[in-house]
Amino acid sequence: MDDLLLSYIVPVYNTGQWLEKCLLSISSYEFDSCEIIVVDDGSEDNSSEIIKVIEENDNRVRSIHQSNQGLSSARNAGLEIARGKYVLFVDSDDIIDVQNVLYMLKKAMDENADVIAGRILCFDENGTYSKWGKYLNKAVFPDGVSYLQAIYKNATYAPMVFGYLVKRELIILHKLRFKGGIIHEDELWTPTLLLRAKKIITVEKYHYLYRTQRKGSITSSSLVFNKIYSLSVIIYNLTDDYLRCLISSEKTVRALSFFRWRINVLCSICVCIDVPSGGLFRIFKDFSLGCLSYFNREIKSYQQ
């Protein structure tokens, strides 16, 4: 197990309608040096049965079954048992192009890169396709700060964690885990990860097919309060993490434009959400604005 090159981590919650197609897109490709970790996060549909059948027919598949604890917990559970040199997170209603993933893996190993960023093909239930990353050109960045600086300038950033093949050693070294109890957790995980990478490579390969706007997805069904709360938590943590990195490393200042932009975007989303009347909604909006004001004040102080 310790010589595995790749760990796919697939959290599952009530996605039986698409799950088999997702898992078969991975398992149908003959590549023995990988494991497919499927984390059933308390599904109440037929997802468990689908996982069982595929696991029985493919010794690369390893399943975890837990009570419903959310996407962050499911991803973290997968990370706890992962053994691959590199990790790719996969949403259970999406599809993988394994051939392009293996291209990215070879590139990562040849260059000893911490992160490989690929392109994403988006599709919806009506069969409409769009491309993310079509302007993401092949390049090598000596560190995460340089990459963040570049994607701010050319507007090629996507926070979705499945856009990146990640060296597991980087995750272990910095004890990176997904924060529980929030939605849109990728908005926190991805910048935190990229800031710490030593070498990042971008490739002109579409390795991931992302299903957008499916009915019942967390994006369309999450409560307004949870969205505002989550954005507030993310803004606070991004602010705190970047400032701490800035104090410990002067080179981090080159990523300032990216973090200032991203925190402003998240704060704007939070403030513009049309919310019902209620003190808690106002508190979290004010908290988000307070984090933004604190961030700008601290950066101004640092620059002086």
Side-chain angles (χ1 to χ4, degrees):
M1 295 292 286
D2 292 335
D3 60 350
L4 291 175
L5 299 181
L6 177 60
S7 295
Y8 294 98
I9 298 179
V10 188
V12 177
Y13 180 67
N14 291 347
T15 52
Q17 182 178 348
W18 307 280
L19 178 58
E20 183 177 15
K21 191 170 184 179
C22 169
L23 294 179
L24 289 178
S25 75
I26 305 171
S27 64
S28 60
Y29 200 95
E30 293 184 6
F31 177 64
D32 292 333
S33 192
C34 76
E35 60 180 355
I36 306 166
I37 301 172
V38 186
V39 185
D40 180 10
D41 190 42
S43 294
E44 298 173 339
D45 63 355
N46 64 333
S47 294
S48 298
E49 288 76 15
I50 294 170
I51 295 168
K52 182 180 179 181
V53 170
I54 292 180
E55 186 173 18
E56 287 175 348
N57 289 280
D58 192 331
N59 59 15
R60 297 171 300 174
V61 178
R62 306 168 65 194
S63 67
I64 300 173
H65 299 269
Q66 63 181 36
S67 60
N68 181 237
Q69 300 172 49
L71 179 58
S72 290
S73 174
R75 285 174 172 170
N76 289 338
L79 279 175
E80 289 299 325
I81 69 167
R83 294 292 181 269
K85 186 176 180 66
Y86 286 86
V87 172
L88 181 66
F89 294 97
V90 181
D91 284 358
S92 58
D93 54 335
D94 296 335
I95 300 170
I96 292 296
D97 185 324
V98 175
Q99 190 168 355
N100 285 342
V101 171
L102 295 183
Y103 171 87
M104 293 167 66
L105 178 63
K106 184 178 185 305
K107 196 74 174 174
M109 295 179 63
D110 288 346
E111 299 281 350
N112 191 28
D114 281 343
V115 178
I116 300 285
R119 295 179 174 182
I120 299 167
L121 186 64
C122 305
F123 67 101
D124 63 22
E125 294 177 343
N126 298 318
T128 303
Y129 286 82
S130 61
K131 296 178 179 179
W132 177 86
K134 60 184 177 181
Y135 302 115
L136 185 70
N137 298 319
K138 184 167 57 177
V140 178
F141 299 89
D143 52 50
V145 171
S146 301
Y147 177 73
L148 291 170
Q149 190 177 32
I151 60 177
Y152 168 74
K153 290 180 178 178
N154 61 23
T156 55
Y157 175 67
M160 297 88 78
V161 67
F162 47 69
Y164 307 91
L165 183 67
V166 184
K167 184 185 286 185
R168 190 168 62 88
E169 184 180 277
L170 176 69
I171 296 172
I172 295 171
L173 177 63
H174 295 286
K175 300 177 181 178
L176 299 175
R177 289 295 183 271
F178 290 87
K179 189 168 185 62
I182 62 172
I183 59 175
H184 306 301
E185 49 277 283
D186 292 8
E187 288 281 7
L188 177 58
W189 164 273
T190 302
T192 302
L193 170 81
L194 296 175
L195 186 62
R196 288 162 172 78
K198 290 183 178 178
K199 189 174 188 180
I200 297 179
I201 295 176
T202 57
V203 298
E204 298 170 337
K205 295 286 185 181
Y206 289 94
H207 72 289
Y208 200 93
L209 283 77
Y210 171 56
R211 188 185 304 274
T212 61
Q213 298 177 341
R214 70 172 176 83
K215 294 179 181 179
S217 70
I218 195 168
T219 301
S220 59
S221 65
S222 57
L223 297 175
V224 172
F225 177 83
N226 195 8
K227 187 178 184 72
I228 295 178
Y229 167 77
S230 298
L231 289 171
S232 299
V233 171
I234 292 167
I235 292 165
Y236 169 78
N237 280 275
L238 276 184
T239 298
D240 182 65
D241 186 62
Y242 178 70
L243 290 175
R244 283 190 290 108
C245 289
L246 183 60
I247 292 170
S248 63
S249 175
E250 283 284 331
K251 74 176 184 180
T252 310
V253 73
R254 290 187 287 119
L256 173 59
S257 296
F258 171 86
F259 276 87
R260 178 174 277 164
W261 162 69
R262 205 64 205 162
I263 292 169
N264 269 287
V265 167
L266 296 173
C267 189
S268 297
I269 294 171
C270 184
V271 172
C272 290
I273 294 174
D274 185 21
V275 301
S277 59
L280 281 176
F281 289 101
R282 188 70 262 164
I283 286 171
F284 283 116
K285 281 195 172 185
D286 290 346
F287 177 73
S288 300
L289 283 170
C291 289
L292 177 61
S293 298
Y294 169 73
F295 179 78
N296 288 331
R297 185 170 64 249
E298 290 297 306
I299 290 298
K300 185 177 180 180
S301 174
Y302 174 85
Q303 291 173 329
Q304 291 174 347

